[in-house]
Amino acid sequence: MEYLYGLLFGTEPDTTDVDARHALHAKLDALPDRDAQIALTADELRLLKAEMRGTPPKRQHGGGDELFVRMRSDLEEDHDAKTADAVVDAYGASPLKPNPLAKRRPSPDLLQLRKAVQDAGPLHDLISERQLSSSVPKERRRTLETALSCVGEWGFDVWAVADAFQGDTLLAARAIVDAVVFEARGFRAASTSHLLRQVVAKMLASYQDVPYHNCLHGADVLQAMHALLNLSPSFDDALDDDVVLVTLLACLSHDVGHPGLTNNFLVETGHELAIRYNDASPLENMHAAVALNLAKPYLRTRPPEEQKGARALWIGLLLATMKEHSHQIYELERALSKATERGSTYEACAPAHHVPCLKIFIHACDVSNPAKPWAVYRRWTSLVMEEFWRQAELERERGLPLTVPRRGATDLAKFQLGFISFVRPLFAAADRIAGVEMGLPLRHIDATARRWQEEPSRVEEGTRE
Ligand code: AMP
Ligand code: ZN
C-alpha cells in the first residue's frame, strides 16, 4: 500500500538527502536482474520517482487552506500524475497507525515498476495496467476474476478481491470501481471516460490509510449501491444514466480524507477540521468539499444547465449520513403513511421520489455491513472496531472522556446488536417503497442478529495483540 501511496501522493522528495539516495541505489544495485522482489519504503519510492521524473525539491504545505488551492491548481492545470494527497498534506496524516492489512501488500517488482513508470502516461493508468498484470500472481487471478464476476450481486465478496491483492486496498478498490463503473454500468463508452478514470483515481487516492474508513470502504459503498439498484430494476431503469453515475461517484467519495476519528473527537481536540467548519459536522463538510473539488473536471463536461443539478445531487447524497439517519426514517415513514391514507403507494419511480430514494439508498449502503453475508460483515466489523479502539486509546492518552468502545472491554455481541437495531428500521422502511426490494438485505440482517444472539462468548474480541 505504502508504495502506491508514495506514487500517487507524489510527495516530493528531499533532494538534499544524499545518504538516502545512496542507500537506495545500493539497494537497487544489489538486486538480481530478473524477478527481483523488493519492498521499497514510501520514502525510497519518492526518491526513485523523483529521479525518473526530475522533479523539483520538496514543497512545504502552508496549512489547511493549501488543500483547496492545490486541488484547484492540480485539477485545472492538466490532471497530471503529480496529484498530491492534498488531504494528508493539508491536515496531516491521521494519528491512527496504518491499516494492519496494508502490511500484507505485495512487493512490487522493481524492474516492471521502472519500465511502467517510464512507459506510462498518467500514473492512474499505471495502476489499472498493473493491477491484473503484475500485482496479482497467476494463481490468484482466477479467484479475483470469479469474485469480480459477482460484482453486481448483493452478496459480492469484497474480501476475495482484497485478498487477491494481498490486502492492498487501493488496488482492490480500483478493481471494484472499474468492474462496476466501466464494465457493468458501461460508462467506458462515454467520451469523458478518460477524465472519469482520473477523477476516480484522485478520489481513491484522497482516502487515508486507516483501518475502516479507507478507499475500500468507498468502493464497497459504490458496489453496494450498484447491487441495490440491481435488486430494484424498475427504479434503476427509471433513473437517468447521469444520475446513476453521480450517485455511484458520490458513494465512492462519501468518506474521502476520513482520518478514522469521529466528529466528536475532532471537536473535542480542536482539530483543524473542527476549526474550519465551526464544530459543525466537520467530517461531512470536509468529505463534501473535497469530493466536489475532485469532481469539478467531470462536472464541467456536463452541459451548463445540468452542472448545478449534478452538484446539488452529489452534495445532497453526501450529506445524507448518520446524522440524518432518524430524520430520514421519520420522513420516509411519513410519506409511506400518507400514500397509504390516499389508498396509493409511494413509488420510487416517480421522478419527484428519485432523490429521496437515492438518499435512503446511499445511507443504507453506508451502514450495510450487517445486511451482508456473515463472512463479509464480520471482517468489516473487525476493522470498524479496530478504528474505534484506536480512537479510544487516543482518548485515554489525552485524558478525554471515552466516547467509543475500548479494546479488551467491548461486549461485541451487545454492541453489534445495538448497531443492528439502529440500522434495521432503515432497510425495513425502504422495503415498503413500491419498486424497491430490500428482502435480501433484511434476511441477512436478521441472520446476523440471530448469530450474535446465539454467540456463546460475548466478549470475543478486543484483546491486545
Ligand atoms: P460512515 O462514517 O459514513 O461510514 O458512517 C457509517 C457509520 O456506521 C460508521 O462511522 C460506523 O461508526 C458505523 N458502522 C458501520 N459498520 C459498523 C459495524 N459493523 N459496527 C458498528 N458500527 C458500524
Ligand atoms: Zn462511510
Side-chain angles (χ1 to χ4, degrees), residues 344-379:
S344 68
T345 49
Y346 185 86
E347 301 276 343
C349 299
H353 299 163
H354 288 182
V355 174
C357 287
L358 288 172
K359 285 184 180 175
I360 299 280
F361 270 38
I362 190 172
H363 179 43
C365 291
D366 198 18
V367 292
S368 65
N369 298 335
K372 298 283 180 62
W374 175 264
V376 173
Y377 152 77
R378 197 59 193 81
R379 279 180 71 173

Short mmCIF file of all heavy atoms in Angstrom, two decimals, residues 344-379:
data_model
loop_
_atom_site.label_atom_id
_atom_site.label_comp_id
_atom_site.label_asym_id
_atom_site.label_seq_id
_atom_site.Cartn_x
_atom_site.Cartn_y
_atom_site.Cartn_z
N SER A 344 -52.95 4.82 -2.03
CA SER A 344 -51.97 4.55 -3.10
C SER A 344 -50.65 4.06 -2.48
O SER A 344 -50.60 3.71 -1.30
CB SER A 344 -51.74 5.80 -3.94
OG SER A 344 -51.09 6.78 -3.18
N THR A 345 -49.61 4.04 -3.26
CA THR A 345 -48.30 3.61 -2.77
C THR A 345 -47.27 4.71 -3.05
O THR A 345 -47.47 5.54 -3.93
CB THR A 345 -47.82 2.32 -3.48
OG1 THR A 345 -47.97 2.50 -4.87
CG2 THR A 345 -48.56 1.11 -3.00
N TYR A 346 -46.18 4.67 -2.29
CA TYR A 346 -45.08 5.61 -2.51
C TYR A 346 -44.15 4.95 -3.53
O TYR A 346 -43.54 3.90 -3.26
CB TYR A 346 -44.34 5.87 -1.19
CG TYR A 346 -43.25 6.90 -1.28
CD1 TYR A 346 -43.53 8.25 -1.14
CD2 TYR A 346 -41.92 6.52 -1.49
CE1 TYR A 346 -42.52 9.21 -1.22
CE2 TYR A 346 -40.90 7.47 -1.57
CZ TYR A 346 -41.21 8.80 -1.44
OH TYR A 346 -40.20 9.74 -1.52
N GLU A 347 -44.09 5.53 -4.71
CA GLU A 347 -43.40 4.90 -5.83
C GLU A 347 -41.98 5.45 -5.99
O GLU A 347 -41.81 6.66 -6.18
CB GLU A 347 -44.13 5.21 -7.15
CG GLU A 347 -45.57 4.75 -7.21
CD GLU A 347 -45.68 3.29 -7.62
OE1 GLU A 347 -44.69 2.76 -8.16
OE2 GLU A 347 -46.75 2.70 -7.38
N ALA A 348 -40.98 4.57 -5.98
CA ALA A 348 -39.60 5.02 -6.20
C ALA A 348 -39.44 5.62 -7.59
O ALA A 348 -38.64 6.54 -7.80
CB ALA A 348 -38.63 3.84 -6.04
N CYS A 349 -40.22 5.09 -8.54
CA CYS A 349 -40.03 5.51 -9.94
C CYS A 349 -40.59 6.90 -10.24
O CYS A 349 -40.26 7.48 -11.29
CB CYS A 349 -40.67 4.50 -10.89
SG CYS A 349 -39.93 2.89 -10.71
N ALA A 350 -41.44 7.44 -9.37
CA ALA A 350 -41.96 8.78 -9.62
C ALA A 350 -40.78 9.76 -9.58
O ALA A 350 -40.00 9.76 -8.61
CB ALA A 350 -42.98 9.15 -8.55
N PRO A 351 -40.62 10.60 -10.63
CA PRO A 351 -39.43 11.47 -10.68
C PRO A 351 -39.19 12.25 -9.39
O PRO A 351 -38.04 12.40 -8.96
CB PRO A 351 -39.73 12.39 -11.86
CG PRO A 351 -40.62 11.58 -12.75
CD PRO A 351 -41.46 10.72 -11.84
N ALA A 352 -40.26 12.71 -8.73
CA ALA A 352 -40.06 13.51 -7.51
C ALA A 352 -39.47 12.66 -6.37
O ALA A 352 -38.96 13.22 -5.39
CB ALA A 352 -41.39 14.10 -7.07
N HIS A 353 -39.56 11.35 -6.50
CA HIS A 353 -39.07 10.49 -5.41
C HIS A 353 -37.66 9.96 -5.67
O HIS A 353 -37.10 9.27 -4.82
CB HIS A 353 -40.03 9.31 -5.19
CG HIS A 353 -41.41 9.74 -4.80
ND1 HIS A 353 -42.52 8.93 -4.88
CD2 HIS A 353 -41.87 10.94 -4.32
CE1 HIS A 353 -43.59 9.59 -4.49
NE2 HIS A 353 -43.22 10.82 -4.15
N HIS A 354 -37.12 10.24 -6.85
CA HIS A 354 -35.80 9.67 -7.17
C HIS A 354 -34.75 10.08 -6.13
O HIS A 354 -34.04 9.22 -5.59
CB HIS A 354 -35.32 10.14 -8.56
CG HIS A 354 -36.07 9.49 -9.69
ND1 HIS A 354 -35.79 9.74 -11.01
CD2 HIS A 354 -37.10 8.62 -9.69
CE1 HIS A 354 -36.61 9.03 -11.77
NE2 HIS A 354 -37.42 8.36 -11.00
N VAL A 355 -34.63 11.37 -5.88
CA VAL A 355 -33.55 11.83 -4.98
C VAL A 355 -33.79 11.34 -3.54
O VAL A 355 -32.86 10.79 -2.93
CB VAL A 355 -33.35 13.36 -5.07
CG1 VAL A 355 -32.33 13.83 -4.05
CG2 VAL A 355 -32.89 13.74 -6.49
N PRO A 356 -35.02 11.51 -2.99
CA PRO A 356 -35.21 10.98 -1.64
C PRO A 356 -34.87 9.48 -1.54
O PRO A 356 -34.25 9.04 -0.57
CB PRO A 356 -36.70 11.20 -1.35
CG PRO A 356 -37.11 12.30 -2.29
CD PRO A 356 -36.20 12.23 -3.48
N CYS A 357 -35.24 8.72 -2.56
CA CYS A 357 -34.93 7.28 -2.52
C CYS A 357 -33.43 7.03 -2.62
O CYS A 357 -32.89 6.16 -1.94
CB CYS A 357 -35.66 6.52 -3.64
SG CYS A 357 -37.43 6.38 -3.31
N LEU A 358 -32.75 7.81 -3.45
CA LEU A 358 -31.29 7.61 -3.57
C LEU A 358 -30.58 7.98 -2.27
O LEU A 358 -29.58 7.38 -1.90
CB LEU A 358 -30.73 8.43 -4.74
CG LEU A 358 -31.10 7.88 -6.12
CD1 LEU A 358 -30.67 8.85 -7.23
CD2 LEU A 358 -30.47 6.50 -6.36
N LYS A 359 -31.13 8.97 -1.56
CA LYS A 359 -30.55 9.32 -0.26
C LYS A 359 -30.70 8.17 0.73
O LYS A 359 -29.80 7.87 1.51
CB LYS A 359 -31.21 10.58 0.31
CG LYS A 359 -30.76 11.86 -0.39
CD LYS A 359 -31.38 13.06 0.29
CE LYS A 359 -30.96 14.36 -0.37
NZ LYS A 359 -31.64 15.51 0.21
N ILE A 360 -31.87 7.54 0.69
CA ILE A 360 -32.07 6.36 1.55
C ILE A 360 -31.09 5.26 1.14
O ILE A 360 -30.46 4.62 1.98
CB ILE A 360 -33.53 5.81 1.39
CG1 ILE A 360 -34.56 6.85 1.79
CG2 ILE A 360 -33.70 4.49 2.13
CD1 ILE A 360 -34.79 6.99 3.26
N PHE A 361 -30.95 5.09 -0.16
CA PHE A 361 -30.07 4.02 -0.66
C PHE A 361 -28.62 4.26 -0.23
O PHE A 361 -27.96 3.34 0.23
CB PHE A 361 -30.14 3.95 -2.20
CG PHE A 361 -31.20 3.01 -2.73
CD1 PHE A 361 -32.43 2.90 -2.10
CD2 PHE A 361 -30.98 2.23 -3.87
CE1 PHE A 361 -33.42 2.04 -2.58
CE2 PHE A 361 -31.95 1.37 -4.36
CZ PHE A 361 -33.17 1.27 -3.72
N ILE A 362 -28.11 5.46 -0.40
CA ILE A 362 -26.68 5.67 -0.09
C ILE A 362 -26.44 5.47 1.41
O ILE A 362 -25.45 4.86 1.81
CB ILE A 362 -26.14 7.05 -0.59
CG1 ILE A 362 -24.61 7.10 -0.46
CG2 ILE A 362 -26.77 8.21 0.11
CD1 ILE A 362 -23.95 8.32 -1.11
N HIS A 363 -27.35 5.95 2.21
CA HIS A 363 -27.16 5.76 3.64
C HIS A 363 -27.27 4.28 4.00
O HIS A 363 -26.48 3.76 4.81
CB HIS A 363 -28.17 6.61 4.43
CG HIS A 363 -28.04 6.44 5.90
ND1 HIS A 363 -26.81 6.42 6.54
CD2 HIS A 363 -28.97 6.26 6.87
CE1 HIS A 363 -27.00 6.24 7.84
NE2 HIS A 363 -28.30 6.13 8.06
N ALA A 364 -28.24 3.58 3.38
CA ALA A 364 -28.37 2.14 3.64
C ALA A 364 -27.07 1.41 3.25
O ALA A 364 -26.59 0.54 3.98
CB ALA A 364 -29.56 1.57 2.87
N CYS A 365 -26.51 1.79 2.12
CA CYS A 365 -25.26 1.13 1.68
C CYS A 365 -24.13 1.41 2.66
O CYS A 365 -23.30 0.55 2.94
CB CYS A 365 -24.87 1.62 0.29
SG CYS A 365 -26.01 1.06 -0.98
N ASP A 366 -24.12 2.63 3.20
CA ASP A 366 -23.05 3.03 4.12
C ASP A 366 -23.07 2.21 5.41
O ASP A 366 -22.03 1.98 6.01
CB ASP A 366 -23.22 4.53 4.42
CG ASP A 366 -21.96 5.16 4.99
OD1 ASP A 366 -20.88 4.56 4.84
OD2 ASP A 366 -22.07 6.25 5.58
N VAL A 367 -24.27 1.81 5.83
CA VAL A 367 -24.36 1.05 7.09
C VAL A 367 -24.78 -0.40 6.80
O VAL A 367 -25.42 -1.04 7.62
CB VAL A 367 -25.36 1.72 8.07
CG1 VAL A 367 -24.83 3.05 8.57
CG2 VAL A 367 -26.75 1.90 7.45
N SER A 368 -24.40 -0.88 5.64
CA SER A 368 -24.94 -2.16 5.18
C SER A 368 -24.17 -3.40 5.65
O SER A 368 -24.55 -4.51 5.31
CB SER A 368 -25.01 -2.18 3.64
OG SER A 368 -23.70 -2.14 3.10
N ASN A 369 -23.10 -3.21 6.43
CA ASN A 369 -22.33 -4.40 6.81
C ASN A 369 -23.21 -5.52 7.37
O ASN A 369 -23.08 -6.66 6.92
CB ASN A 369 -21.27 -4.08 7.88
CG ASN A 369 -20.26 -3.10 7.39
OD1 ASN A 369 -20.05 -3.02 6.20
ND2 ASN A 369 -19.66 -2.37 8.30
N PRO A 370 -24.07 -5.23 8.35
CA PRO A 370 -24.83 -6.35 8.93
C PRO A 370 -25.86 -6.92 7.96
O PRO A 370 -26.44 -7.97 8.23
CB PRO A 370 -25.56 -5.71 10.13
CG PRO A 370 -25.01 -4.34 10.28
CD PRO A 370 -24.38 -3.95 9.00
N ALA A 371 -26.08 -6.24 6.84
CA ALA A 371 -27.04 -6.72 5.84
C ALA A 371 -26.35 -7.56 4.77
O ALA A 371 -26.93 -7.88 3.75
CB ALA A 371 -27.75 -5.53 5.20
N LYS A 372 -25.08 -7.87 5.00
CA LYS A 372 -24.30 -8.67 4.06
C LYS A 372 -24.12 -10.09 4.62
O LYS A 372 -24.34 -10.31 5.81
CB LYS A 372 -22.91 -8.03 3.87
CG LYS A 372 -22.94 -6.64 3.29
CD LYS A 372 -23.19 -6.68 1.80
CE LYS A 372 -23.23 -5.32 1.15
NZ LYS A 372 -21.98 -4.57 1.27
N PRO A 373 -23.65 -11.02 3.78
CA PRO A 373 -23.35 -12.35 4.31
C PRO A 373 -22.38 -12.26 5.50
O PRO A 373 -21.53 -11.37 5.53
CB PRO A 373 -22.69 -13.05 3.12
CG PRO A 373 -23.21 -12.33 1.92
CD PRO A 373 -23.41 -10.91 2.34
N TRP A 374 -22.53 -13.16 6.44
CA TRP A 374 -21.79 -13.09 7.70
C TRP A 374 -20.29 -12.87 7.51
O TRP A 374 -19.69 -12.00 8.15
CB TRP A 374 -22.04 -14.37 8.51
CG TRP A 374 -21.23 -14.43 9.76
CD1 TRP A 374 -20.03 -15.06 9.93
CD2 TRP A 374 -21.54 -13.81 11.03
NE1 TRP A 374 -19.56 -14.88 11.22
CE2 TRP A 374 -20.48 -14.12 11.92
CE3 TRP A 374 -22.59 -13.04 11.50
CZ2 TRP A 374 -20.45 -13.68 13.24
CZ3 TRP A 374 -22.56 -12.60 12.83
CH2 TRP A 374 -21.51 -12.91 13.67
N ALA A 375 -19.66 -13.66 6.62
CA ALA A 375 -18.20 -13.58 6.49
C ALA A 375 -17.76 -12.20 6.01
O ALA A 375 -16.73 -11.67 6.44
CB ALA A 375 -17.70 -14.65 5.52
N VAL A 376 -18.55 -11.60 5.13
CA VAL A 376 -18.21 -10.27 4.62
C VAL A 376 -18.38 -9.25 5.74
O VAL A 376 -17.51 -8.42 6.01
CB VAL A 376 -19.12 -9.91 3.42
CG1 VAL A 376 -18.90 -8.46 2.98
CG2 VAL A 376 -18.86 -10.86 2.25
N TYR A 377 -19.52 -9.34 6.41
CA TYR A 377 -19.83 -8.42 7.52
C TYR A 377 -18.79 -8.52 8.62
O TYR A 377 -18.33 -7.51 9.16
CB TYR A 377 -21.22 -8.79 8.05
CG TYR A 377 -21.44 -8.47 9.51
CD1 TYR A 377 -21.67 -7.16 9.93
CD2 TYR A 377 -21.42 -9.48 10.48
CE1 TYR A 377 -21.87 -6.87 11.28
CE2 TYR A 377 -21.61 -9.21 11.81
CZ TYR A 377 -21.83 -7.89 12.21
OH TYR A 377 -22.01 -7.61 13.53
N ARG A 378 -18.38 -9.75 8.95
CA ARG A 378 -17.52 -9.97 10.12
C ARG A 378 -16.17 -9.26 9.97
O ARG A 378 -15.63 -8.72 10.93
CB ARG A 378 -17.35 -11.48 10.32
CG ARG A 378 -16.85 -11.88 11.67
CD ARG A 378 -17.79 -11.41 12.78
NE ARG A 378 -17.17 -11.52 14.09
CZ ARG A 378 -16.31 -10.63 14.58
NH1 ARG A 378 -15.98 -9.56 13.88
NH2 ARG A 378 -15.78 -10.80 15.77
N ARG A 379 -15.64 -9.27 8.75
CA ARG A 379 -14.34 -8.62 8.56
C ARG A 379 -14.45 -7.10 8.61
O ARG A 379 -13.59 -6.42 9.15
CB ARG A 379 -13.68 -9.09 7.25
CG ARG A 379 -13.00 -10.44 7.46
CD ARG A 379 -12.34 -10.96 6.22
NE ARG A 379 -11.14 -10.24 5.83
CZ ARG A 379 -10.35 -10.63 4.83
NH1 ARG A 379 -10.64 -11.74 4.15
NH2 ARG A 379 -9.27 -9.93 4.50
#
